[in-house]
mmCIF file with all atom_site columns, all heavy atoms in Angstrom:
data_model
loop_
_atom_site.group_PDB
_atom_site.id
_atom_site.type_symbol
_atom_site.label_atom_id
_atom_site.label_alt_id
_atom_site.label_comp_id
_atom_site.label_asym_id
_atom_site.label_entity_id
_atom_site.label_seq_id
_atom_site.pdbx_PDB_ins_code
_atom_site.Cartn_x
_atom_site.Cartn_y
_atom_site.Cartn_z
_atom_site.occupancy
_atom_site.B_iso_or_equiv
_atom_site.pdbx_formal_charge
_atom_site.auth_seq_id
_atom_site.auth_comp_id
_atom_site.auth_asym_id
_atom_site.auth_atom_id
_atom_site.pdbx_PDB_model_num
ATOM   1   N  N   . PHE A 1 105 ? -57.666 -30.253 92.162  1.00 98.00 ? 344 PHE A N   1
ATOM   2   C  CA  . PHE A 1 105 ? -58.456 -31.483 92.031  1.00 98.00 ? 344 PHE A CA  1
ATOM   3   C  C   . PHE A 1 105 ? -57.678 -32.347 91.051  1.00 98.00 ? 344 PHE A C   1
ATOM   4   O  O   . PHE A 1 105 ? -57.356 -31.898 89.950  1.00 98.00 ? 344 PHE A O   1
ATOM   5   C  CB  . PHE A 1 105 ? -59.858 -31.179 91.464  1.00 98.00 ? 344 PHE A CB  1
ATOM   6   C  CG  . PHE A 1 105 ? -60.558 -32.400 90.922  1.00 98.00 ? 344 PHE A CG  1
ATOM   7   C  CD1 . PHE A 1 105 ? -61.289 -33.224 91.762  1.00 98.00 ? 344 PHE A CD1 1
ATOM   8   C  CD2 . PHE A 1 105 ? -60.468 -32.750 89.576  1.00 98.00 ? 344 PHE A CD2 1
ATOM   9   C  CE1 . PHE A 1 105 ? -61.916 -34.366 91.282  1.00 98.00 ? 344 PHE A CE1 1
ATOM   10  C  CE2 . PHE A 1 105 ? -61.087 -33.886 89.085  1.00 98.00 ? 344 PHE A CE2 1
ATOM   11  C  CZ  . PHE A 1 105 ? -61.814 -34.690 89.943  1.00 98.00 ? 344 PHE A CZ  1
ATOM   12  N  N   . GLY A 1 161 ? -62.985 -40.763 93.820  1.00 97.00 ? 400 GLY A N   1
ATOM   13  C  CA  . GLY A 1 161 ? -63.766 -40.484 95.038  1.00 97.00 ? 400 GLY A CA  1
ATOM   14  C  C   . GLY A 1 161 ? -64.224 -39.037 95.176  1.00 97.00 ? 400 GLY A C   1
ATOM   15  O  O   . GLY A 1 161 ? -65.201 -38.762 95.869  1.00 97.00 ? 400 GLY A O   1
ATOM   16  N  N   . ALA A 1 162 ? -63.546 -38.117 94.526  1.00 97.00 ? 401 ALA A N   1
ATOM   17  C  CA  . ALA A 1 162 ? -63.929 -36.708 94.670  1.00 97.00 ? 401 ALA A CA  1
ATOM   18  C  C   . ALA A 1 162 ? -64.906 -36.262 93.587  1.00 97.00 ? 401 ALA A C   1
ATOM   19  O  O   . ALA A 1 162 ? -65.289 -35.087 93.550  1.00 97.00 ? 401 ALA A O   1
ATOM   20  C  CB  . ALA A 1 162 ? -62.683 -35.823 94.636  1.00 97.00 ? 401 ALA A CB  1
ATOM   21  N  N   . ILE A 1 163 ? -65.315 -37.184 92.724  1.00 98.00 ? 402 ILE A N   1
ATOM   22  C  CA  . ILE A 1 163 ? -66.191 -36.780 91.614  1.00 98.00 ? 402 ILE A CA  1
ATOM   23  C  C   . ILE A 1 163 ? -67.328 -37.781 91.368  1.00 98.00 ? 402 ILE A C   1
ATOM   24  O  O   . ILE A 1 163 ? -68.378 -37.418 90.802  1.00 98.00 ? 402 ILE A O   1
ATOM   25  C  CB  . ILE A 1 163 ? -65.339 -36.574 90.320  1.00 98.00 ? 402 ILE A CB  1
ATOM   26  C  CG1 . ILE A 1 163 ? -66.079 -35.746 89.286  1.00 98.00 ? 402 ILE A CG1 1
ATOM   27  C  CG2 . ILE A 1 163 ? -64.852 -37.876 89.740  1.00 98.00 ? 402 ILE A CG2 1
ATOM   28  C  CD1 . ILE A 1 163 ? -65.225 -35.356 88.089  1.00 98.00 ? 402 ILE A CD1 1
ATOM   29  N  N   . ASN A 1 191 ? -73.213 -34.766 98.967  1.00 94.00 ? 430 ASN A N   1
ATOM   30  C  CA  . ASN A 1 191 ? -73.701 -34.297 97.666  1.00 94.00 ? 430 ASN A CA  1
ATOM   31  C  C   . ASN A 1 191 ? -75.220 -34.273 97.638  1.00 94.00 ? 430 ASN A C   1
ATOM   32  O  O   . ASN A 1 191 ? -75.856 -35.322 97.680  1.00 94.00 ? 430 ASN A O   1
ATOM   33  C  CB  . ASN A 1 191 ? -73.229 -35.231 96.541  1.00 94.00 ? 430 ASN A CB  1
ATOM   34  C  CG  . ASN A 1 191 ? -71.731 -35.223 96.384  1.00 94.00 ? 430 ASN A CG  1
ATOM   35  O  OD1 . ASN A 1 191 ? -70.998 -35.372 97.370  1.00 94.00 ? 430 ASN A OD1 1
ATOM   36  N  ND2 . ASN A 1 191 ? -71.256 -35.047 95.176  1.00 94.00 ? 430 ASN A ND2 1
ATOM   37  N  N   . VAL A 1 229 ? -72.909 -29.262 96.746  1.00 98.00 ? 468 VAL A N   1
ATOM   38  C  CA  . VAL A 1 229 ? -71.916 -30.288 97.102  1.00 98.00 ? 468 VAL A CA  1
ATOM   39  C  C   . VAL A 1 229 ? -70.905 -29.693 98.088  1.00 98.00 ? 468 VAL A C   1
ATOM   40  O  O   . VAL A 1 229 ? -70.318 -28.649 97.826  1.00 98.00 ? 468 VAL A O   1
ATOM   41  C  CB  . VAL A 1 229 ? -71.186 -30.805 95.842  1.00 98.00 ? 468 VAL A CB  1
ATOM   42  C  CG1 . VAL A 1 229 ? -70.136 -31.827 96.232  1.00 98.00 ? 468 VAL A CG1 1
ATOM   43  C  CG2 . VAL A 1 229 ? -72.191 -31.435 94.874  1.00 98.00 ? 468 VAL A CG2 1
ATOM   44  N  N   . THR A 1 230 ? -70.744 -30.388 99.196  1.00 97.00 ? 469 THR A N   1
ATOM   45  C  CA  . THR A 1 230 ? -69.849 -29.889 100.247 1.00 97.00 ? 469 THR A CA  1
ATOM   46  C  C   . THR A 1 230 ? -68.620 -30.778 100.407 1.00 97.00 ? 469 THR A C   1
ATOM   47  O  O   . THR A 1 230 ? -68.735 -32.009 100.421 1.00 97.00 ? 469 THR A O   1
ATOM   48  C  CB  . THR A 1 230 ? -70.607 -29.818 101.593 1.00 97.00 ? 469 THR A CB  1
ATOM   49  O  OG1 . THR A 1 230 ? -71.724 -28.936 101.430 1.00 97.00 ? 469 THR A OG1 1
ATOM   50  C  CG2 . THR A 1 230 ? -69.714 -29.292 102.711 1.00 97.00 ? 469 THR A CG2 1
ATOM   51  N  N   . SER A 1 231 ? -67.460 -30.141 100.500 1.00 97.00 ? 470 SER A N   1
ATOM   52  C  CA  . SER A 1 231 ? -66.222 -30.832 100.870 1.00 97.00 ? 470 SER A CA  1
ATOM   53  C  C   . SER A 1 231 ? -65.721 -30.204 102.148 1.00 97.00 ? 470 SER A C   1
ATOM   54  O  O   . SER A 1 231 ? -65.803 -28.986 102.323 1.00 97.00 ? 470 SER A O   1
ATOM   55  C  CB  . SER A 1 231 ? -65.137 -30.643 99.801  1.00 97.00 ? 470 SER A CB  1
ATOM   56  O  OG  . SER A 1 231 ? -65.415 -31.422 98.677  1.00 97.00 ? 470 SER A OG  1
ATOM   57  N  N   . ALA A 1 275 ? -69.767 -29.604 90.400  1.00 98.00 ? 514 ALA A N   1
ATOM   58  C  CA  . ALA A 1 275 ? -69.830 -29.122 91.787  1.00 98.00 ? 514 ALA A CA  1
ATOM   59  C  C   . ALA A 1 275 ? -68.935 -29.980 92.681  1.00 98.00 ? 514 ALA A C   1
ATOM   60  O  O   . ALA A 1 275 ? -68.244 -29.466 93.566  1.00 98.00 ? 514 ALA A O   1
ATOM   61  C  CB  . ALA A 1 275 ? -71.273 -29.158 92.282  1.00 98.00 ? 514 ALA A CB  1
ATOM   62  N  N   . ASP A 1 276 ? -68.920 -31.289 92.436  1.00 98.00 ? 515 ASP A N   1
ATOM   63  C  CA  . ASP A 1 276 ? -68.119 -32.204 93.253  1.00 98.00 ? 515 ASP A CA  1
ATOM   64  C  C   . ASP A 1 276 ? -66.617 -31.945 93.048  1.00 98.00 ? 515 ASP A C   1
ATOM   65  O  O   . ASP A 1 276 ? -65.847 -31.815 94.001  1.00 98.00 ? 515 ASP A O   1
ATOM   66  C  CB  . ASP A 1 276 ? -68.480 -33.650 92.901  1.00 98.00 ? 515 ASP A CB  1
ATOM   67  C  CG  . ASP A 1 276 ? -68.078 -34.632 93.984  1.00 98.00 ? 515 ASP A CG  1
ATOM   68  O  OD1 . ASP A 1 276 ? -67.495 -34.209 94.999  1.00 98.00 ? 515 ASP A OD1 1
ATOM   69  O  OD2 . ASP A 1 276 ? -68.345 -35.838 93.808  1.00 98.00 ? 515 ASP A OD2 1
ATOM   70  N  N   . ALA A 1 277 ? -66.209 -31.844 91.783  1.00 98.00 ? 516 ALA A N   1
ATOM   71  C  CA  . ALA A 1 277 ? -64.792 -31.592 91.493  1.00 98.00 ? 516 ALA A CA  1
ATOM   72  C  C   . ALA A 1 277 ? -64.371 -30.246 92.079  1.00 98.00 ? 516 ALA A C   1
ATOM   73  O  O   . ALA A 1 277 ? -63.316 -30.128 92.728  1.00 98.00 ? 516 ALA A O   1
ATOM   74  C  CB  . ALA A 1 277 ? -64.553 -31.604 89.982  1.00 98.00 ? 516 ALA A CB  1
ATOM   75  N  N   . TYR A 1 278 ? -65.206 -29.232 91.895  1.00 98.00 ? 517 TYR A N   1
ATOM   76  C  CA  . TYR A 1 278 ? -64.844 -27.888 92.358  1.00 98.00 ? 517 TYR A CA  1
ATOM   77  C  C   . TYR A 1 278 ? -64.801 -27.800 93.878  1.00 98.00 ? 517 TYR A C   1
ATOM   78  O  O   . TYR A 1 278 ? -63.954 -27.106 94.440  1.00 98.00 ? 517 TYR A O   1
ATOM   79  C  CB  . TYR A 1 278 ? -65.831 -26.845 91.820  1.00 98.00 ? 517 TYR A CB  1
ATOM   80  C  CG  . TYR A 1 278 ? -65.591 -26.437 90.377  1.00 98.00 ? 517 TYR A CG  1
ATOM   81  C  CD1 . TYR A 1 278 ? -64.634 -27.071 89.587  1.00 98.00 ? 517 TYR A CD1 1
ATOM   82  C  CD2 . TYR A 1 278 ? -66.315 -25.410 89.796  1.00 98.00 ? 517 TYR A CD2 1
ATOM   83  C  CE1 . TYR A 1 278 ? -64.426 -26.699 88.271  1.00 98.00 ? 517 TYR A CE1 1
ATOM   84  C  CE2 . TYR A 1 278 ? -66.113 -25.019 88.480  1.00 98.00 ? 517 TYR A CE2 1
ATOM   85  C  CZ  . TYR A 1 278 ? -65.172 -25.680 87.718  1.00 98.00 ? 517 TYR A CZ  1
ATOM   86  O  OH  . TYR A 1 278 ? -64.964 -25.295 86.417  1.00 98.00 ? 517 TYR A OH  1
ATOM   87  N  N   . SER A 1 279 ? -65.734 -28.475 94.572  1.00 98.00 ? 518 SER A N   1
ATOM   88  C  CA  . SER A 1 279 ? -65.740 -28.321 96.039  1.00 98.00 ? 518 SER A CA  1
ATOM   89  C  C   . SER A 1 279 ? -64.450 -28.888 96.612  1.00 98.00 ? 518 SER A C   1
ATOM   90  O  O   . SER A 1 279 ? -63.857 -28.310 97.527  1.00 98.00 ? 518 SER A O   1
ATOM   91  C  CB  . SER A 1 279 ? -66.980 -28.962 96.670  1.00 98.00 ? 518 SER A CB  1
ATOM   92  O  OG  . SER A 1 279 ? -66.958 -30.348 96.516  1.00 98.00 ? 518 SER A OG  1
ATOM   93  N  N   . THR A 1 280 ? -63.983 -29.995 96.066  1.00 98.00 ? 519 THR A N   1
ATOM   94  C  CA  . THR A 1 280 ? -62.714 -30.576 96.526  1.00 98.00 ? 519 THR A CA  1
ATOM   95  C  C   . THR A 1 280 ? -61.562 -29.606 96.229  1.00 98.00 ? 519 THR A C   1
ATOM   96  O  O   . THR A 1 280 ? -60.725 -29.322 97.084  1.00 98.00 ? 519 THR A O   1
ATOM   97  C  CB  . THR A 1 280 ? -62.461 -31.925 95.823  1.00 98.00 ? 519 THR A CB  1
ATOM   98  O  OG1 . THR A 1 280 ? -63.622 -32.745 95.989  1.00 98.00 ? 519 THR A OG1 1
ATOM   99  C  CG2 . THR A 1 280 ? -61.238 -32.635 96.369  1.00 98.00 ? 519 THR A CG2 1
ATOM   100 N  N   . ALA A 1 281 ? -61.550 -29.096 94.992  1.00 98.00 ? 520 ALA A N   1
ATOM   101 C  CA  . ALA A 1 281 ? -60.472 -28.196 94.573  1.00 98.00 ? 520 ALA A CA  1
ATOM   102 C  C   . ALA A 1 281 ? -60.429 -26.928 95.423  1.00 98.00 ? 520 ALA A C   1
ATOM   103 O  O   . ALA A 1 281 ? -59.358 -26.498 95.871  1.00 98.00 ? 520 ALA A O   1
ATOM   104 C  CB  . ALA A 1 281 ? -60.652 -27.830 93.099  1.00 98.00 ? 520 ALA A CB  1
HETATM 105 MG MG1 . LIG B 2 .   ? -65.574 -33.624 95.459  1.00 87.05 ? 708 LIG B MG1 1
#
Side-chain angles (χ1 to χ4, degrees):
F344 163 86
I402 198 172
N430 295 49
V468 178
T469 301
S470 286
D515 200 359
Y517 281 6
S518 67
T519 308

